[in-house]
Amino acid sequence: MTPIDVAAYLDRLGLPALPPSAENLAALYAAHVERIPFETLDQLPGVDPADAVRRIISTGRGGVCYHLNGALALLLDVLGYDVSLHPAGVQSRFAPLPQGPNGTHNVILVRHLPAAGNPEGRWLLDAGSGEGFHRPLPLTEGRYEQNGFHYGLHRTPGGWRLDYDRRESCRGLDFTERPAAPEEFALPYAEQAGTHMAIFFEYGWVKRHHAHGYDELIGCQLSHVSTGGRTSTTITEEQQWYAALAGVFGVRMPGLDAEARTALWERVRHAWHARDFATAIRPPRAEAVR
């Protein structure tokens, strides 16, 4: 077991150390998705969960699925949960067809925590997307509602399919029950710059859950998504952009001096204005949650 600073990690989540239970798992997961953002301001090095934990604790940075789910799975393991990582693939606006569990994403499964409505005690977690379900979902076929958002979970020949709420940017994800070691995701992560995922790093995408939806910063557009829809504001100034990073997402970029901060802002701003945002980011979406 890789040693990590559990006390500091839990302090970042605002929670005490508690024994494994379905209730405590739900609290841990909700705190993680609320406080540790999905972000692609740069392509952070490697996929080692212990490195991700140290970065989360010391810098307030987040990461992509490999970092966030890897770090949370490591924390749960240290706390005594029966937990594992699993290959997944996201169907998004950039990948309009189901991707299958190809390892371009991952999810967490936790076992042996029976609760009302989930007697088998198996739970699905995904802290690595910045949106989606706010509490763990039972790994049982069915339709689930959380604060007005609806999700569908069903078996497929390759494993499982989760359909997202129609208001969210992801359409769904496919995953397998085959456990995967963290290092299995090193190559898919290294190759993301040559796939449809490259656009995430081009714009510097930042997202975080909250109890009633999610917040999202794509390039210069800050959006709040809830059951009432999406409200968006265009950011035009460097100071305003960094204020949104810190105030909405808790990302403060402590390692950047003034020159580097301006360089990051200019990179994001130029990328934003160089594309047709409406076409590149948010094409029409026809299908709803099954």
Side-chain angles (χ1 to χ4, degrees):
M1 183 183 298
T2 305
I4 60 172
D5 190 339
V6 174
Y9 200 163
L10 290 173
D11 184 65
R12 178 87 168 79
L13 299 179
L15 294 173
L18 296 171
S21 71
E23 181 180 4
N24 292 337
L25 176 67
L28 274 168
Y29 177 73
H32 206 283
V33 299
E34 289 176 5
R35 295 185 176 219
I36 315 298
F38 172 95
E39 52 109 337
T40 60
L41 296 170
D42 50 34
Q43 192 159 2
L44 298 168
V47 296
D48 181 71
D51 286 345
V53 170
R54 286 189 285 270
R55 191 162 49 239
I56 287 169
I57 292 170
S58 63
T59 71
R61 296 292 299 274
V64 299
C65 58
Y66 306 128
H67 309 120
L68 303 181
N69 282 327
L72 177 55
L74 180 55
L75 175 63
L76 293 173
D77 182 56
V78 172
L79 292 175
Y81 289 86
D82 185 352
V83 58
S84 52
L85 288 170
H86 298 260
V90 176
Q91 181 186 2
S92 71
R93 65 190 71 146
F94 309 113
L97 298 176
Q99 298 297 290
N102 59 11
T104 55
H105 189 66
N106 62 10
V107 297
I108 299 170
L109 297 184
V110 176
R111 294 163 291 275
H112 304 129
L113 290 177
N118 187 12
E120 292 186 6
R122 301 197 302 164
W123 300 92
L124 170 65
L125 289 71
D126 183 7
S129 68
E131 56 183 284
F133 51 100
H134 181 257
R135 295 273 171 162
L137 291 176
L139 190 61
T140 303
E141 290 187 296
R143 296 288 302 276
Y144 299 96
E145 184 271 336
Q146 294 186 357
N147 298 318
F149 284 76
H150 298 267
Y151 306 94
L153 189 59
H154 62 89
R155 291 184 181 273
T156 67
W160 291 84
R161 168 74 178 190
L162 173 72
D163 288 311
Y164 274 59
D165 187 274
R166 61 182 178 80
R167 285 160 290 210
E168 294 175 309
S169 59
C170 294
R171 301 176 180 185
L173 63 85
D174 300 283
F175 62 95
T176 174
E177 291 192 53
R178 177 182 67 81
E183 54 266 25
E184 181 175 326
F185 304 107
L187 183 59
Y189 180 53
E191 292 179 339
Q192 282 182 346
T195 72
H196 63 273
M197 288 292 294
I199 196 169
F200 283 81
F201 297 97
E202 180 181 352
Y203 282 120
W205 210 295
V206 190
K207 297 192 289 183
R208 73 161 190 103
H209 292 262
H210 50 79
H212 300 281
Y214 65 98
D215 301 312
E216 180 177 60
L217 179 63
I218 310 174
C220 298
Q221 181 171 287
L222 176 64
S223 299
H224 305 280
V225 179
S226 69
T227 54
R230 173 183 291 265
T231 59
S232 299
T233 303
T234 298
I235 293 174
T236 59
E237 302 291 337
E238 175 184 341
Q239 184 176 2
Q240 184 187 16
W241 190 74
Y242 279 103
L245 281 181
V248 178
F249 304 97
V251 176
R252 291 177 170 80
M253 308 295 286
L256 298 185
D257 59 21
E259 183 178 356
R261 288 169 70 88
T262 296
L264 174 58
W265 158 249
E266 290 297 330
R267 190 202 85 201
V268 168
R269 186 176 68 85
H270 284 299
W272 171 263
H273 290 293
R275 279 182 178 264
D276 178 353
F277 177 75
T279 300
I281 300 297
R282 200 162 298 283
R285 177 177 174 181
E287 69 264 42
V289 173
R290 291 196 293 269

